[in-house]
Amino acid sequence: MRFTSTCELAAHKSNQEMPEIPAYRDLYNLGCTFKQGDVIMIVGRPGTQKSGFTLHTVLSWDLPTLYLSADSADTTLDRVERFAGNNEIALEGGETEQGASIYFYSSVLFYHGDGFTPELINDLTAKYKEHFHTLPKVLVIDNLMDAKGATTDQVTQQEFMRTIRTFSQNYAWTSIVCHHCTDKGTTADGFPSPLYEIKNDVIHNTDIVLSLGIENTHDQNNTSDVRIAIIRQRTGQCDPTAKTFINLKCDHSRGRFLSSNILD
């Protein structure tokens, strides 16, 4: 793998914990610990708010972030606006000659396109440093199947996960990768999927895997219940069956995840 000259290599994975997010208190109490340099995978069936939870997490951390997504830019930026209180957000950037888009917001570089490659990540890292005069500390891949050639190919997905692990080790990045679980499993609707329902056996280079399930009904506050299970954790508690989980509230109107006991 080729790294850019801007890369400041880290000798080893840090034990420094990521900033605490108050709404995730129950997740922490369940044993989840996010650390600098972790590779975190967010999994679930389609429509389980994987992208929403990932975006809420990185915006709450408020760290320099490189965010690659195959969703439309409008979809992501609408979520950012809702997170910011439905206020107009200050953006720089636009479409590239290749038909993708790059936007700079706060401390985040959003790239919207597909065919993610190590070379693309290197190029975006250089753009990030040129714009923000620092290096990213967080990398988001939303999602794994949008890596180049990885739509259905198991080997390509596994190789790309090894690439993400290498980036995390060498840049000391915390990486979040979204990925699908099968929608043909036996898990009841609204509940997180167990480890064996993750597509294509891609977990070996992860430190933490969180599985999401969502109740698709909205209450009078326009919120839905999201159930989150820790189904893999390299150095902590986990339940691969996903039968142990916590509940959060997804506030759709504000693009935020809240404690299930508090709507504030």
Side-chain angles (χ1 to χ4, degrees):
M1 174 182 298
R2 176 183 62 85
F3 289 96
T4 63
S5 59
T6 60
C7 175
E8 298 171 2
L9 297 179
H12 53 78
K13 182 176 177 291
S14 170
N15 286 320
Q16 181 177 345
E17 293 188 8
M18 300 297 284
E20 186 170 300
I21 300 172
Y24 295 179
R25 180 186 64 248
D26 290 344
L27 187 60
Y28 301 139
N29 289 340
L30 194 62
C32 185
T33 304
F34 300 126
K35 293 182 179 179
Q36 181 181 340
D38 275 349
V39 176
I40 303 162
M41 183 170 277
I42 309 297
V43 302
R45 294 179 175 182
T48 50
Q49 284 291 326
K50 297 183 293 294
S51 297
F53 180 80
T54 297
L55 183 61
H56 176 267
T57 299
V58 299
L59 292 178
S60 298
W61 281 340
D62 194 24
L63 294 172
T65 299
L66 189 59
Y67 199 111
L68 282 69
S69 174
D71 287 341
S72 73
D74 289 344
T75 297
T76 301
L77 298 178
D78 176 68
R79 286 176 174 147
V80 173
E81 286 186 348
R82 282 183 277 139
F83 183 91
N86 290 313
N87 297 316
E88 185 174 348
I89 57 176
L91 291 172
E92 297 180 54
E95 289 192 5
T96 69
E97 293 180 357
Q98 292 74 31
S101 64
I102 296 175
Y103 288 98
F104 300 94
Y105 165 73
S106 184
S107 59
V108 183
L109 184 160
F110 288 105
Y111 171 87
H112 290 272
D114 56 14
F116 308 149
T117 64
E119 291 76 20
L120 174 64
I121 295 172
N122 276 327
D123 290 345
L124 292 174
T125 300
K127 286 183 171 61
Y128 191 100
K129 186 173 185 183
E130 180 181 359
H131 185 87
F132 290 111
H133 308 294
T134 189
L135 288 169
K137 293 185 178 180
V138 178
L139 170 68
V140 172
I141 301 294
D142 186 9
N143 70 52
L144 178 59
M145 294 174 69
D146 294 301
K148 187 174 182 180
T151 303
T152 58
D153 186 74
Q154 177 177 352
V155 173
T156 302
Q157 291 178 11
Q158 292 172 341
E159 288 177 350
F160 194 76
M161 285 304 300
R162 284 193 288 271
T163 295
I164 298 303
R165 165 61 72 188
T166 302
F167 273 112
S168 289
Q169 289 174 336
N170 287 280
Y171 283 83
W173 282 347
T174 301
S175 298
I176 303 180
V177 180
C178 297
H179 188 47
H180 293 303
C181 290
T182 179
D183 56 3
K184 298 178 182 177
T186 59
T187 303
D189 290 343
F191 287 86
S193 300
L195 196 67
Y196 66 82
E197 290 188 358
I198 297 176
K199 289 186 175 181
N200 290 343
D201 195 24
V202 292
I203 64 168
H204 300 293
N205 284 287
T206 63
D207 296 289
I208 299 172
V209 181
L210 300 181
S211 180
L212 275 59
I214 187 169
E215 289 284 353
N216 286 321
T217 56
H218 297 196
D219 61 18
Q220 67 272 18
N221 295 309
N222 195 26
T223 67
S224 298
D225 289 321
V226 179
R227 300 179 176 105
I228 304 177
I230 311 167
I231 58 174
R232 172 179 164 87
Q233 188 164 208
R234 192 180 296 273
T235 59
Q237 295 175 261
C238 64
D239 177 7
T241 71
K243 293 179 179 178
T244 306
F245 53 82
I246 59 98
N247 290 283
L248 293 181
K249 289 283 188 182
C250 175
D251 185 339
H252 299 278
S253 60
R254 294 199 288 163
R256 290 176 179 263
F257 286 73
L258 311 169
S259 165
S260 61
N261 300 313
I262 302 173
L263 284 175
D264 56 4

